Amino acid sequence: MPLDFFLDGQNYEKIADTVKPSAEKLYDLIILGGGPAGMTASVYASRKMLETLLITENIGGQPLLTVAIENYMGYQYITGNDLSEKFSTQMKQFPIAILEKDIAKKIFAEKQGFSVGTKSGKKFRAKTLIIATGKRYRELGVPGEKKLVGKGVAYCTACDAPLFKDKDVAVIGGGNSALTSVIDLMKIARKIYLINNLDTLQGDPILQKKIKSTGRTNVRPEQMFGYSVIEIGGGNSVESITIKSKSGETKTLLVSGVFIEIGLVPNSDFAEGLLELNENREILVDCSSRTSADGIFAAGDVTSVTEKQIIVAAGEGAKAALGAYRYLVNKK
Amino acid sequence: MAILNEKTTEQLKKDFESLKDEVNLIFFKESSEKCEHCKDTEDMLEEIAAISRKIKVSVFDIDLQKTEASKYKIDKTPAIAILDSAKRDCGIRFFGIPAGHEFSSFIETLKMVSSGESGLLAKSKEILKKISKPIDIKVFVTLTCPYCPPVVKLANKFAYESENISSQMLVASEFMELAMKYDVRTVPKIIINEKEILEGAKSEKEFLKIIERVSK
């Protein structure tokens, strides 16, 4: 890529759409993930003239799930969707190859660097990697769950709650997201079961108080504590949920919706065995965004960095890209 | 009481400074109690129109003005049809109040029609020009769904670029019978020509590919 490319404002439009991912090429850098950390890393890398491939399920990441953002500097107020679009527009001005609707399945260390095997069966090679794969909703991992996603099993209560007017539903979890989910559903559902595998709620007292003080007493949740879910039943849609107490007693509740709100898990499975993870399965990084493997960097919510914030993820993405650049320069 | 708060009004004032051409909104309401959000939608549209002279709202009653209702294929309320400055029907409909997360879909669509530019990739536009069969896209949403606006915006862009594509946003909770007919248990749920059913967010390329396939 000639240098004048970067100086010519006329070319500053959606350049990324013309750069195709190549299986033959040895990239300087492959970035896994298209959230704030990954997109920021791609821009920094491209400005350092690194040949970069970005692989992601979707462009945008977790900000898409946020309504209003009031703490990303430069914007007094912006929606998560709009901020993601601005990130994406900025990224696409640079010659970055982007592979969407695919994710890394396995990483291999090779002589010249690394290769990344994707879920769709493709393989790409690079001298360095940045892992910025973020987090996803945690699943229960019980029979019936996968089959009934979108058919009564929901991970986004805010999205789907209005579809369960006057229905009987179960909320799984005991943290803030489960309690918020109950509060949302209290305005809509007929009956709510709150199923928590622990004996107490972990959510904020203020949310617990809100549930107890709501006007519609008849929809206050029936609390089933110390129960774990063993199966979600139903043919074309959810019909029941079966739970089991610590003493082994099982109960089947008739519900048409199951809202699973048991938090988030890092998308780090593919790094298992190659990179050191902490007890939460987050990728361990040092203050220069380096992982336990030489040449692999990580940024954003998938890492052990405590603050899960958009601005922090973006900053970490920049650090990781500059780290990868320095690594390549020093290696020469 | 105003529907739009001060912050939103201020933001819209800034946003609407860049409006180019006029946008004509054809709004349908009904007087019956059944329409829970007709009054709010009408008030909202009036407040939006008061911010910019480029936005014109015409109000019709679905029961009293049946000719117009059938002309714009409106069978339920509240409904908004979007026409450009030359009063060309862009094939875009909002059924149910475009509030909550859908407010951004609505405002973005107004800005697109005013600017005359969908912002789609050149390649997408080429593909859309070649579509010769009528394509009807229904997008079921809830107002609390953050994944929904990108799908609605895309469908509206496709409708704007192609004479043969029409796009409808439908607020599931306002049209529960229809939502049940299409077995909507999660949003966004997309129905193309009554036969192709998709759930969840879609990218421009992915969504277009499916439309192309249905059109063949």
Side-chain angles (χ1 to χ4, degrees):
Chain A
M1 194 59 59
L3 184 66
D4 64 359
F5 164 83
F6 292 99
L7 306 172
D8 183 358
Q10 291 302 308
N11 282 341
Y12 255 51
E13 233 179 66
K14 293 194 172 183
I15 299 293
D17 287 315
T18 62
V19 188
K20 296 262 178 296
S22 157
E24 281 81 50
K25 201 172 268 178
L26 176 67
Y27 284 98
D28 291 320
L29 170 66
I30 293 177
I31 298 168
L32 306 176
M39 286 197 275
T40 305
S42 75
V43 168
Y44 270 81
S46 201
R47 290 175 63 88
K48 288 287 184 193
M49 306 287 263
L50 301 186
E51 263 206 282
T52 304
L53 167 68
L54 184 136
I55 301 173
T56 186
E57 173 73 37
N58 60 57
I59 288 174
Q62 290 183 67
L64 293 176
L65 307 176
T66 312
V67 185
I69 296 163
E70 293 179 341
N71 54 8
Y72 194 87
M73 294 308 289
Y75 299 100
Q76 286 172 38
Y77 172 91
I78 189 162
T79 68
N81 196 24
D82 287 351
L83 185 63
S84 294
E85 250 169 53
K86 283 181 190 293
F87 269 57
S88 156
T89 307
Q90 188 163 355
M91 174 176 71
K92 288 184 174 175
Q93 290 174 344
F94 293 94
I96 300 155
I98 298 170
L99 179 67
E100 273 184 82
K101 296 285 151 194
D102 208 349
I103 53 170
K105 204 176 157 194
K106 191 88 193 153
I107 300 169
F108 306 93
E110 287 183 353
K111 207 174 155 197
Q112 288 173 294
F114 307 93
S115 71
V116 176
T118 73
K119 198 178 167 191
S120 72
K122 296 188 182 90
K123 202 169 180 182
F124 299 97
R125 296 182 308 131
K127 295 174 197 162
T128 60
L129 299 180
I130 292 175
I131 300 172
T133 41
K135 290 194 164 183
R136 64 171 189 277
Y137 291 119
R138 187 191 295 274
E139 294 166 10
L140 281 171
V142 299
E145 180 183 13
K146 272 218 160 73
K147 187 184 82 178
L148 294 165
V149 169
K151 298 178 170 69
V153 171
Y155 300 95
C156 176
T157 305
C159 300
D160 296 341
L163 308 171
F164 292 82
K165 195 169 164 52
D166 300 324
K167 297 271 179 8
D168 295 356
V169 299
V171 174
I172 321 299
N176 283 344
S177 53
L179 298 185
T180 309
S181 170
V182 167
I183 292 165
D184 282 350
L185 282 159
M186 282 172 87
K187 297 171 214 146
I188 297 157
R190 188 178 69 175
K191 160 112 195 137
I192 304 166
Y193 298 98
L194 177 58
I195 300 163
N196 184 15
N197 60 357
L198 301 175
D199 292 322
T200 53
L201 293 171
Q202 304 92 63
D204 291 344
I206 190 159
L207 294 176
Q208 298 188 33
K209 198 174 150 202
K210 202 168 171 187
I211 290 173
K212 284 190 194 123
S213 63
T214 180
R216 285 180 72 195
T217 45
N218 55 323
V219 290
R220 275 182 203 153
E222 184 174 337
Q223 302 187 338
M224 320 282 288
F225 291 174
Y227 280 92
S228 51
V229 179
I230 54 172
E231 190 178 358
I232 299 170
N236 289 324
S237 60
V238 169
E239 288 158 18
S240 67
I241 184 165
T242 305
I243 57 174
K244 190 176 165 184
S245 73
K246 279 175 189 152
S247 60
E249 172 210 5
T250 65
K251 273 186 191 171
T252 296
L253 310 168
L254 299 181
V255 293
S256 50
V258 176
F259 294 86
I260 300 169
E261 296 285 356
I262 49 177
L264 300 165
V265 274
N267 293 310
S268 59
D269 295 352
F270 60 89
E272 182 116 57
L274 185 68
L275 302 180
E276 245 179 83
L277 310 178
N278 68 8
E279 68 280 7
N280 299 323
R281 297 187 60 76
E282 293 164 339
I283 298 172
L284 276 171
V285 288
D286 67 9
C287 56
S288 303
S289 311
R290 288 179 295 208
T291 68
S292 59
D294 220 22
I296 303 183
F297 300 79
D301 283 9
V302 76
T303 69
S304 54
V305 172
T306 321
E307 287 76 22
K308 311 299 183 196
Q309 297 289 322
I310 301 170
I311 199 159
V312 174
E316 290 285 317
K319 275 169 62 190
L322 296 173
Y325 172 70
R326 243 188 330 269
Y327 170 84
L328 288 168
V329 170
N330 290 338
K331 226 180 152 192
K332 269 178 193 164
Chain B
M1 197 187 76
I3 299 280
L4 305 177
N5 63 29
E6 213 173 296
K7 208 164 159 186
T8 312
T9 308
E10 279 310 306
Q11 182 65 42
L12 283 180
K13 266 183 199 156
K14 270 188 225 156
D15 267 20
F16 285 174
E17 274 169 18
S18 57
L19 288 183
K20 205 172 131 232
D21 296 330
E22 228 174 70
V23 183
N24 289 286
L25 305 178
I26 312 292
F27 171 63
F28 286 87
K29 61 177 180 181
E30 64 189 291
S31 43
S32 90
E33 296 281 298
K34 207 175 75 199
C35 184
E36 206 187 323
H37 295 293
C38 279
K39 175 81 174 68
D40 285 347
T41 312
E42 185 175 0
D43 290 351
M44 188 183 91
L45 291 180
E46 271 168 14
E47 285 173 32
I48 290 173
I51 296 172
S52 170
R53 281 181 298 126
K54 299 254 167 85
I55 294 172
K56 309 275 184 210
V57 181
S58 317
V59 181
F60 294 96
D61 186 303
I62 193 169
D63 297 314
L64 305 176
Q65 284 146 311
K66 290 195 166 117
T67 326
E68 281 82 4
S70 84
K71 181 181 166 194
Y72 293 109
K73 298 197 182 83
I74 302 295
D75 57 357
K76 50 194 166 291
T77 61
I80 306 162
I82 304 202
L83 279 61
D84 69 10
S85 56
K87 305 223 163 141
R88 175 184 82 94
D89 186 348
C90 303
I92 299 167
R93 304 284 182 273
F94 285 86
F95 290 105
I97 185 166
H101 277 289
E102 286 312 315
F103 189 66
S104 88
S105 303
F106 183 62
I107 298 301
E108 283 305 312
T109 302
L110 298 190
K111 280 158 70 181
M112 168 184 76
V113 172
S114 173
S115 71
E117 174 54 53
S118 71
L120 290 170
L121 300 172
K123 219 164 118 194
S124 305
K125 289 182 188 169
E126 259 172 56
I127 295 168
L128 287 165
K129 282 210 173 68
K130 286 183 198 142
I131 287 175
S132 55
K133 205 175 116 181
I135 299 281
D136 163 72
I137 309 171
K138 291 185 177 70
V139 185
F140 281 95
V141 301
T142 62
L143 302 181
T144 44
C145 164
Y147 304 98
C148 294
V151 178
V152 172
K153 286 180 205 171
L154 262 182
N156 290 350
K157 286 175 181 180
F158 293 160
Y160 185 71
E161 287 290 339
S162 166
E163 293 280 328
N164 289 309
I165 299 178
S166 60
S167 152
Q168 307 174 25
M169 179 220 69
L170 295 139
V171 179
S173 51
E174 286 186 59
F175 307 105
M176 273 315 258
E177 266 177 44
L178 196 65
M180 268 154 72
K181 184 188 155 195
Y182 289 101
D183 197 27
V184 180
R185 285 167 197 273
T186 187
V187 288
K189 183 155 183 165
I190 310 160
I191 291 128
I192 306 171
N193 283 11
E194 305 292 314
K195 57 180 184 188
E196 190 73 31
I197 294 157
L198 314 167
E199 282 167 2
K202 297 282 165 276
S203 73
E204 178 175 335
K205 282 177 195 164
E206 195 185 4
F207 198 174
L208 190 58
K209 217 179 242 173
I210 298 160
I211 287 174
E212 217 184 342
R213 197 180 69 221
V214 177
S215 75
K216 274 176 186 157

